Amino acid sequence: MCFLFLCLQFSRMMNENNNAFKNVRRKPGLQIWTVNKMQMDPVPPQAFGNFFEGDCYIVLYISENKGSRQSADIHYWVGRTSSQDEQGAAAIYVTQLDEYLGGSPVQYREVQGYESPRFRSYFKNGLIYKKGGVASGFNHVETNAYNVLRLLHVKGRRDVTATEVEVSWSSFNKGDIFLLDIGKAIVQWNGPQSNRREKLKAVLLAQDIRDRERGGRAQIGVVEGGDERSSPELMKVLTTVLGPKPAQLKEATSDDVPDSAQQNSVRLYHIYDNSGNLVIQEVAKQPLTQDLLKSSDCFILDNKGSSVMVWKGKKASKEERQGAMNRALSYIKAKKYPASTTVEVMAEGAESAVFKHLFKSWTDRDQTQGLGTTHNVGKIAKVDNGKFDVMELHARPELAAQYRMVDDASGDVKVWCIENLELAEIDPKTYGQFYGGDCYLVLYSYKRAGQQQYILYMWQGRHATSDEIAASAFQAVNIDNKYNGAPVQVRVVMGKEPRHFLAIFKGKLIIFEGGTGRPGVVNPAKDARLFQVRGTNELNTKATEVVARAASLSSNDVFLLKTDNISYLWYGKGCNGDEREMGKAISNVLSRHEKRVVMEGQEPAEFWIALGGKGSYASDRRFEREEPLHSPRLFECSNQTGRFKITEVDDFAQCDLDEDDVMLLDTWEELFLWIGNSSYEYETKEALNSTQDYLRTHPAGRDPDTPIVFVKQGYEPPTFTGWFNAWDPHKWSVSNSYEEMKNKLSDSTSISQITLLNKTPVGGGGGGYRARGGPLTSPPPNKAYFQDETDFFPRPSSPTRPQSGMSSSSASSMSSSGVGKFFDPELLVNKTPDELPEGVDPTQKEDYLSDLDFENLLGTTRADFRRLPKWRQNDLKKKAGIF
């Protein structure tokens, strides 16, 4: 089918159905559709991150910046085996959706396996590629569906992808991780050459599948490749499904995607149609200046072949604007670039941060200088301009859809806390007060068209135990069953509360960092408590407890400092009148003491004494702007794959700082190199060299003498933390390593022997079955299947230690330490040189530990340990008692 005929057919369908975008919500959040029979079918939220290889998808993400400004990004994702018709329909839908949203969104073309950092940032736990497509009869996942049998090939240590592969040992290799998903159980097999970060990401993906698709009921077990004998029961599950494990598996495959960047410069082209012929005219090459862009035309910016960006002038013709994406694809073909080359299309005034960074200087229209706020809104932003009038919801239901507010938040609320893994009702007087050490279930009920409706929020505290989190998911299923499956379930992570959740508590939502709200439990007393208040009205305001130190302050916000005798309301220079009013309102909930208003710069001595002394905080004028002149960008500098590379992290947060790597934060005026505690010394050196190259070769002609600031993990200054929202200085004091998460999985549930039955598959049939969300599978080698009602994995038995002083490892072979024998750690830990066994070098005690004891004692492998800087090695040895 030629593209012209496709366009005509599509236009006819659009005319027949003028409501193609009637379900598009103009409010912050993620929305996804798949293209099915030329129509946009919505994808349910529990299936977000799952993509059929035979389909094309449209992904809309609307974000809300401070000052109620909204921006939108539209992506169309192209599956590896999708048809040209589907690709063409998706491209046309994206163009139409862009027009529907006022022409301001940034458009992206995403190709399977080559997704942009922006696209991947929406799916923190990774992407799952599924065989087949909707047109082939496959449906997206359903919550609490256990009729599943699939094998996922997991790759990546930051940008994780999981691809459905043949359920066979032939799919395995030594370097990657594989998840065998059998519905009520997920077995993770780690390739012996995979690293800890990859293993951790795979565990998080398995947990995400368990929580989103199985209602928290599936169990997870982990097998270490090369050490399968330590997990005999889990291997029994694997071999029952896959057959006997072969003696040799395939070698590891590279995670690296070929670098498509060319050696030429960044170039700007004027591209237009001349009597049916595409004309490409070069305008300039780097460094580029903003005045080269003319509002009456469309331009292509070629970013060294790694990406192609189209800029649409606001006065360009409608035909030029609508044809921007097709012209970009034609340009890629003309340049003979790979079909996977990233494409971005943006309108004048809605340029992406990456696009602006490619120009020597950039000034936004109506941009304020210094302090102040500018509201330059398009059709999307107008929805949220000013305070939210809840009464409008009754008269204008389309407004409710745009706000993602099902009602005016005046319905009935019931709140439970998880106590001893059971539900305990909360006193209504304390509704809105959430403690970081607890998990809560919030049931919201309201009426629509005379029918009772429910929303069930599952709020998980940052410091809640894994048992409590699992119990909250289990109890949510019980409540859901009680109401016959009517509630809409929403998982809420502490600090990421959605707008309707905030609105329920009418501006009185308070989040305490730790502790518990359980009756009878006394939380540790504190001399002073500091709360950061954000919001402009009772529908979007919350107070979050932060560390009571000067470093926690920010000029952008309102803070309440609560002491035994008095409370201070501190107003930063960047906050507005609405924020101050909400600060006053929520302070009356937090404290009955006298409130003293303190303006930034006029603090009394008692204020600083309560905070432990006056200190620096995020008070730079840059933090007081609504939008900085150049948005900050974060990059990961890693050698984990054996080759040093720099990868951008989009929509970053503190959790994206990887302890195993070096991170580069570019704030334009300064560059920060953040050094993770477990990073290699080689990475630090290479990161510095690469940062200098980054400045020297930057398309915008950056000053090569721009300051480069080194920051060690745990010692971050406010000039660094100020670029992150809700920075937690204690984040790394509680370790969350792969080893600990693996132990939590085995300790979190009572696990019994799995029951294996030689029987036909669930659902009937003799040869195979179609699992929900997956292709028709072949039957396992011995046709063994599992009963749904059984538990799955037994606890692994603890290994026994030899009776003599020599470690069991020394009896078999020499390890990579280079010494001939090993000793029990008890003979080495906290021993003086005179107390050590004969022949042991007191300065290298770690060399006399077996590989297993080495990892258990120092928390890292021997190979990784040797790559660490000397100061970090000594620090680990001191903690282990072998320094």
Side-chain angles (χ1 to χ4, degrees), residues 321-356:
R321 287 186 281 107
Q322 289 184 339
M325 179 65 75
N326 286 332
R327 287 182 174 177
L329 298 178
S330 298
Y331 173 84
I332 289 173
K333 290 181 180 178
K335 286 286 187 178
K336 297 182 179 179
Y337 289 162
S340 58
T341 301
T342 301
V343 178
E344 296 182 30
V345 179
M346 64 205 71
E348 180 179 0
E351 297 84 0
S352 66
V354 175
F355 184 84
K356 295 177 184 179

XYZ file of all heavy atoms in Angstrom, residues 321-356:
272
model
N 4.674 22.446 8.586
C 4.703 21.939 9.961
C 4.246 20.489 10.025
O 4.828 19.676 10.723
C 3.831 22.822 10.866
C 4.463 24.183 11.155
C 3.687 25.007 12.171
N 2.513 25.649 11.581
C 1.260 25.286 11.797
N 1.009 24.258 12.597
N 0.259 25.917 11.226
N 3.180 20.168 9.299
C 2.671 18.802 9.337
C 3.606 17.822 8.639
O 3.618 16.637 8.978
C 1.281 18.756 8.683
C 0.196 19.422 9.518
C -1.172 19.270 8.905
O -1.306 19.025 7.706
N -2.213 19.436 9.714
N 4.377 18.294 7.685
C 5.279 17.408 6.964
C 6.674 17.325 7.546
O 7.574 16.730 6.939
N 6.877 17.903 8.755
C 8.216 17.974 9.339
C 8.799 16.591 9.595
O 9.968 16.326 9.294
C 8.169 18.788 10.634
N 8.002 15.677 10.146
C 8.516 14.345 10.471
C 8.907 13.594 9.199
O 9.985 12.973 9.132
C 7.466 13.554 11.252
C 7.889 12.142 11.634
S 9.285 12.079 12.785
C 8.449 12.551 14.320
N 8.062 13.638 8.175
C 8.377 12.942 6.923
C 9.631 13.508 6.269
O 10.432 12.767 5.683
C 7.197 13.032 5.954
C 6.047 12.128 6.368
O 6.257 11.096 7.004
N 4.832 12.515 6.032
N 9.822 14.803 6.368
C 11.025 15.406 5.784
C 12.275 14.973 6.539
O 13.339 14.810 5.948
C 10.889 16.930 5.775
C 9.898 17.421 4.730
C 9.786 18.914 4.684
N 8.928 19.334 3.578
C 8.612 20.588 3.333
N 9.060 21.554 4.124
N 7.848 20.896 2.304
N 12.136 14.798 7.850
C 13.278 14.312 8.633
C 13.650 12.901 8.195
O 14.830 12.567 8.045
C 12.941 14.343 10.122
N 12.640 12.056 7.964
C 12.908 10.690 7.515
C 13.511 10.683 6.111
O 14.401 9.873 5.813
C 11.616 9.870 7.542
C 10.959 9.703 8.928
C 9.663 8.906 8.821
C 11.911 9.022 9.900
N 13.051 11.586 5.262
C 13.629 11.695 3.920
C 15.079 12.159 3.991
O 15.939 11.689 3.241
C 12.810 12.678 3.072
O 11.488 12.222 2.905
N 15.362 13.054 4.924
C 16.732 13.541 5.107
C 17.647 12.402 5.546
O 18.783 12.264 5.069
C 16.735 14.668 6.143
C 18.116 15.140 6.540
C 18.794 16.084 5.771
C 18.745 14.646 7.675
C 20.063 16.518 6.128
C 19.996 15.071 8.045
C 20.656 16.009 7.258
O 21.916 16.432 7.619
N 17.146 11.552 6.473
C 17.943 10.415 6.951
C 18.276 9.478 5.796
O 19.407 8.985 5.674
C 17.181 9.684 8.074
C 17.164 10.541 9.346
C 17.796 8.323 8.370
C 16.297 9.979 10.453
N 17.292 9.221 4.932
C 17.547 8.365 3.780
C 18.559 9.002 2.834
O 19.445 8.319 2.302
C 16.238 8.087 3.042
C 15.272 7.189 3.799
C 13.999 6.944 2.994
C 13.030 6.048 3.758
N 11.767 5.832 3.007
N 18.416 10.309 2.609
C 19.339 11.007 1.708
C 20.761 10.967 2.232
O 21.724 10.883 1.452
C 18.881 12.450 1.501
N 20.928 11.033 3.536
C 22.253 11.012 4.158
C 22.761 9.584 4.387
O 23.890 9.395 4.842
C 22.203 11.743 5.505
C 22.118 13.256 5.387
C 23.453 13.845 4.959
C 23.452 15.340 5.003
N 24.774 15.915 4.628
N 21.906 8.597 4.098
C 22.238 7.183 4.292
C 22.585 6.887 5.747
O 23.460 6.079 6.047
C 23.384 6.767 3.374
C 23.039 6.871 1.890
C 24.179 6.405 1.001
C 23.789 6.494 -0.466
N 24.892 6.066 -1.367
N 21.866 7.544 6.649
C 22.005 7.266 8.070
C 21.218 5.997 8.409
O 20.290 5.621 7.685
C 21.480 8.429 8.918
C 22.328 9.680 8.895
C 21.812 10.912 9.305
C 23.663 9.643 8.478
C 22.583 12.059 9.313
C 24.443 10.792 8.477
C 23.900 11.995 8.887
O 24.671 13.124 8.875
N 21.531 5.334 9.511
C 20.763 4.140 9.916
C 19.294 4.479 10.126
O 18.953 5.596 10.548
C 21.426 3.720 11.231
C 22.791 4.322 11.193
C 22.658 5.603 10.436
N 18.424 3.522 9.841
C 16.988 3.733 10.022
C 16.635 3.977 11.482
O 15.562 4.511 11.791
C 16.212 2.529 9.496
N 17.523 3.575 12.401
C 17.268 3.744 13.829
C 17.655 5.128 14.340
O 17.518 5.400 15.536
C 18.053 2.687 14.617
O 19.444 2.784 14.341
N 18.128 6.020 13.474
C 18.535 7.361 13.903
C 17.378 8.070 14.607
O 16.249 8.086 14.119
C 18.991 8.196 12.694
O 20.075 7.531 12.049
C 19.440 9.585 13.127
N 17.664 8.649 15.766
C 16.648 9.341 16.551
C 16.175 10.598 15.829
O 16.982 11.347 15.279
C 17.201 9.718 17.933
O 17.613 8.534 18.618
C 16.147 10.431 18.769
N 14.852 10.821 15.845
C 14.258 12.001 15.234
C 13.463 12.757 16.288
O 12.677 12.161 17.029
C 13.334 11.632 14.054
C 12.682 12.882 13.472
C 14.109 10.900 12.974
N 13.684 14.072 16.364
C 12.894 14.936 17.239
C 12.308 16.067 16.400
O 12.995 16.631 15.552
C 13.746 15.539 18.364
C 14.322 14.545 19.346
C 15.116 15.221 20.451
O 14.768 16.374 20.803
O 16.088 14.630 20.940
N 11.056 16.396 16.634
C 10.391 17.506 15.961
C 9.834 18.429 17.027
O 9.118 17.972 17.925
C 9.257 17.012 15.036
C 8.570 18.195 14.364
C 9.798 16.053 13.987
N 10.171 19.710 16.954
C 9.726 20.640 17.985
C 9.304 21.958 17.372
O 9.760 22.337 16.282
C 10.834 20.867 19.011
C 12.072 21.526 18.456
S 13.551 21.145 19.408
C 13.817 19.428 18.998
N 8.402 22.651 18.060
C 7.896 23.938 17.596
C 8.682 25.072 18.235
O 9.274 24.921 19.316
C 6.411 24.068 17.934
N 8.688 26.203 17.571
C 9.323 27.397 18.118
C 8.696 27.735 19.470
O 7.489 27.780 19.623
C 9.142 28.560 17.152
C 9.769 29.863 17.630
C 9.583 31.004 16.640
O 8.961 30.778 15.578
O 10.055 32.111 16.930
N 9.535 27.923 20.470
C 9.057 28.207 21.815
C 8.908 26.986 22.687
O 8.643 27.108 23.880
N 9.069 25.788 22.106
C 8.931 24.545 22.883
C 10.136 23.647 22.643
O 10.019 22.425 22.590
C 7.636 23.836 22.511
N 11.297 24.227 22.509
C 12.511 23.478 22.190
C 12.947 22.617 23.375
O 12.790 23.000 24.540
C 13.646 24.440 21.814
C 13.385 25.260 20.567
C 12.569 26.513 20.800
O 12.180 26.756 21.989
O 12.294 27.248 19.837
N 13.524 21.455 23.063
C 14.027 20.561 24.110
C 15.343 21.100 24.664
O 16.022 21.920 24.032
C 14.228 19.148 23.555
O 15.261 19.140 22.582
N 15.708 20.597 25.859
C 16.957 21.035 26.488
C 18.161 20.673 25.634
O 19.113 21.462 25.515
C 17.078 20.416 27.881
N 18.140 19.483 25.025
C 19.269 19.061 24.187
C 19.425 19.997 22.994
O 20.540 20.377 22.629
C 19.067 17.609 23.716
C 20.171 17.201 22.743
C 19.036 16.662 24.902
N 18.324 20.401 22.395
C 18.376 21.306 21.246
C 19.001 22.640 21.654
O 19.885 23.165 20.969
C 16.956 21.514 20.707
C 16.880 22.358 19.454
C 17.078 21.790 18.207
C 16.608 23.714 19.528
C 17.008 22.554 17.053
C 16.542 24.492 18.390
C 16.733 23.911 17.143
N 18.562 23.198 22.773
C 19.099 24.480 23.227
C 20.587 24.382 23.524
O 21.343 25.339 23.290
C 18.354 24.947 24.484
C 16.880 25.262 24.264
C 16.223 25.635 25.597
C 14.731 25.851 25.444
N 14.088 26.179 26.731
